[in-house]
Amino acid sequence: MKYYKYILIFILANSLNSCNSRMKPTVNTPQTKEKLIELDLDTMNFSNHYSMSSFFKTVRFISLETKKECLIGNIDEIKIKNDTVFVLDKKISKSLFIFDKSGKFIRKIGKLGRGPGEYERLSSFSIDRTRNQILIQSNKKIITYSNSGEFIKEFNLLGDTPLQISCQDSIIYFDRMPSFYKQDQYNLLSAANTEGEVIYRWLPAKSYEKVLNLSCVLGSHFFNTMDELKYTYTFSDTIFSINNKTVSPFIAFSTQNKLTNEEINELKSIDDPMKLGQYVSNCKRFQGAVQYLESNNLIMIKIKNHIATPKILINPHNKKISCTHFSINDDITYTEQLQFATTTNNSFVSIIDHSYMKPSITLFNNFIQNIKSANIKLSETEKNLILDLQPDCNPILAFYECI
């Protein structure tokens, strides 16, 4: 794949001079092909069928404790750091919950309100591992708490409204609400210090006209991994890695099924967010990565292409690639349609939730039946713990250990 587009990114990003930026950001250009994973979607065979046992060797379960003070209505975001489980429920309980590695409830972080340390809405959250702190985003406001839940401070991101935040080495990365900015003033990716001052900006929007206003409709695209952040945007052919204040192309997709210039102009002419969202939902062109999951031994990418959402699985050690349009047959738990939500160092984590949504109820019932019929191998203690769960209990997490 040609690298001229990455060189252009480098030139534009380093020539950008923002009044809010005190330091020049870095966008690396790959010097060798070994530093960039290239995926030619038009030549890949997505008709393969795979089983879980091709990628995972064991599974273990934890049930998140159910108490009145930690009832989870819906899991909008889940992160696991140092054997601690963080669960964000934006709309129903409107809370950020913390559980330990056994599923025992520890505490809730912050609360609704307009006072110091309180949030009016939950936009996103992140974990500052350098300072052992938790950050909650509420529109422009960033609220910082200790791991024990004590309020430390709050601040606004100066002049910016982020879609989502993600913290690394005490630097807060965010992508901005594009409709608020003129094209020549807008960057797709920015970073601020812990006082809210913007210190870096990357990826000038004038180089990426086709994505303007789309992030508002489709959401942002930060993916947390073990040591790095990954970032992409709607219709992008690149997944970037963010590490040590440097943005580098990490995975590059190539396909003939990209937006044409006419389609780009049509997208740019749509002002109504509802119509824009409908257009994109029905668009058969390549729309980029919609999910990225990574452990030490496996990378899983879900892309949107031709309306379908095929999966690409990569062994990061030998770069072996597996790809499929189909669901991966679960020959470990025999519970179909499980969706992975997050990862740990060497496990992919799925949520088994029997909420009032019909698919979840069916999935949960299948899971319970497989335990009763001994398709899922558990100790008697584990088996009884799960079978004793009440219908209104919190979700179960399944940890699939990678081979």
Side-chain angles (χ1 to χ4, degrees):
M1 186 175 183
K2 296 180 180 179
Y3 294 121
Y4 69 89
K5 58 184 176 184
Y6 303 125
I7 296 173
L8 177 61
I9 293 172
F10 178 84
I11 294 171
L12 289 171
N14 282 278
S15 63
L16 183 68
N17 183 16
S18 171
C19 62
N20 289 325
S21 298
R22 297 180 301 173
M23 295 172 278
K24 290 184 178 180
T26 303
V27 178
N28 278 351
T29 301
Q31 300 301 314
T32 65
K33 287 196 173 185
E34 286 72 21
K35 294 184 179 180
L36 180 72
I37 299 174
E38 297 181 278
L39 300 174
D40 185 348
L41 302 179
D42 298 337
T43 61
M44 296 170 69
N45 181 11
F46 287 93
S47 62
N48 299 303
H49 291 265
Y50 295 100
S51 297
M52 287 288 198
S53 58
S54 300
F55 309 100
F56 308 100
K57 53 187 177 181
T58 60
V59 63
R60 64 181 178 87
F61 304 94
I62 68 167
S63 175
L64 299 180
E65 184 179 13
T66 303
K67 288 184 176 182
K68 182 179 179 180
E69 58 266 34
C70 64
L71 290 177
I72 300 170
N74 183 65
I75 296 181
D76 293 292
E77 191 173 356
I78 180 170
K79 296 176 183 177
I80 301 174
K81 301 291 184 184
N82 301 325
D83 293 326
T84 303
V85 181
F86 298 81
V87 175
L88 181 67
D89 181 355
K90 294 182 181 180
K91 296 180 180 178
I92 301 178
S93 69
K94 300 179 181 179
S95 300
L96 175 60
F97 301 107
I98 301 180
F99 300 84
D100 69 13
K101 62 181 180 180
S102 68
K104 182 177 176 60
F105 175 63
I106 300 175
R107 66 180 59 88
K108 187 166 68 173
I109 301 296
K111 64 178 181 179
L112 282 171
R114 297 186 177 183
E118 298 175 342
Y119 48 82
E120 293 187 60
R121 68 185 297 266
L122 285 168
S123 304
S124 68
F125 82 100
S126 190
I127 302 162
D128 186 346
R129 289 188 288 180
T130 302
R131 300 190 180 194
N132 291 319
Q133 295 176 351
I134 301 163
L135 284 68
I136 286 181
Q137 176 207 351
S138 179
N139 296 326
K140 281 188 176 185
K141 185 166 73 171
I142 308 298
I143 312 169
T144 306
Y145 306 88
S146 68
N147 274 349
S148 59
E150 296 174 349
F151 168 61
I152 297 175
K153 68 176 181 178
E154 61 183 40
F155 56 87
N156 288 335
L157 288 174
L158 304 178
D160 287 293
T161 300
L163 286 163
Q164 184 183 25
I165 64 167
S166 196
C167 189
Q168 182 191 74
D169 299 327
S170 297
I171 301 293
I172 302 169
Y173 296 87
F174 62 95
D175 47 356
R176 302 191 293 168
M177 198 72 79
S179 59
F180 295 166
Y181 303 92
K182 294 180 180 179
Q183 182 175 324
D184 58 354
Q185 299 174 343
Y186 174 62
N187 292 70
L188 298 176
L189 179 63
S190 302
N193 59 24
T194 54
E195 301 300 322
E197 180 184 7
V198 176
I199 54 176
Y200 299 98
R201 296 200 191 278
W202 297 269
L203 310 182
K206 60 185 178 183
S207 303
Y208 306 92
E209 290 183 84
K210 57 191 174 188
V211 304
L212 286 178
N213 296 320
L214 293 180
S215 297
C216 289
V217 178
L218 301 177
S220 51
H221 301 276
F222 280 114
F223 306 116
N224 287 86
T225 60
M226 299 303 104
D227 300 312
E228 298 180 338
L229 297 176
K230 298 298 189 296
Y231 175 76
T232 190
Y233 50 87
T234 308
F235 292 112
S236 172
D237 60 2
T238 306
I239 296 176
F240 296 91
S241 68
I242 304 173
N243 191 28
N244 194 26
K245 299 180 284 291
T246 298
V247 177
S248 304
F250 178 67
I251 294 177
F253 303 97
S254 61
T255 178
Q256 296 298 312
N257 189 39
K258 292 185 178 181
L259 288 170
T260 64
N261 288 332
E262 291 77 13
E263 289 169 330
I264 292 173
N265 290 332
E266 184 178 359
L267 274 172
K268 290 168 62 178
S269 68
I270 302 175
D271 295 325
D272 186 337
M274 295 292 291
K275 291 182 180 179
L276 181 61
Q278 185 177 13
Y279 180 98
V280 173
S281 296
N282 296 327
C283 179
K284 297 182 180 181
R285 297 297 187 183
F286 172 70
Q287 295 187 29
V290 295
Q291 185 182 45
Y292 178 96
L293 296 168
E294 175 184 315
S295 72
N296 291 336
N297 293 331
L298 183 66
I299 296 170
M300 182 182 291
I301 309 165
K302 187 183 291 186
I303 64 172
K304 189 169 183 183
N305 195 25
H306 300 287
I307 294 185
T309 52
K311 302 177 186 68
I312 301 171
L313 299 100
I314 304 172
N315 183 316
H317 305 297
N318 59 22
K319 300 299 189 291
K320 180 182 177 181
I321 297 173
S322 307
C323 48
T324 181
H325 278 297
F326 306 102
S327 298
I328 300 176
N329 177 48
D330 193 342
D331 57 347
I332 297 178
T333 70
Y334 299 94
T335 305
E336 298 300 324
Q337 304 303 317
L338 284 179
Q339 301 293 322
F340 292 118
T342 190
T343 58
T344 64
N345 285 341
N346 201 36
S347 295
F348 276 55
V349 183
S350 181
I351 301 168
I352 303 174
D353 180 15
H354 55 116
S355 65
Y356 294 105
M357 296 175 63
K358 187 175 180 180
S360 296
I361 294 174
T362 302
L363 185 152
F364 184 82
N365 289 340
N366 289 341
F367 171 69
I368 294 299
Q369 184 58 44
N370 284 328
I371 291 178
K372 290 179 178 179
S373 60
N375 285 333
I376 303 175
K377 306 301 181 184
L378 298 175
S379 68
E380 281 301 311
T381 301
E382 292 173 319
K383 180 178 178 179
N384 292 333
L385 179 66
I386 292 176
L387 293 181
D388 287 343
L389 294 175
Q390 299 300 310
D392 58 351
C393 72
N394 277 336
I396 297 168
L397 303 184
F399 291 73
Y400 288 77
E401 184 182 1
C402 299
I403 294 175

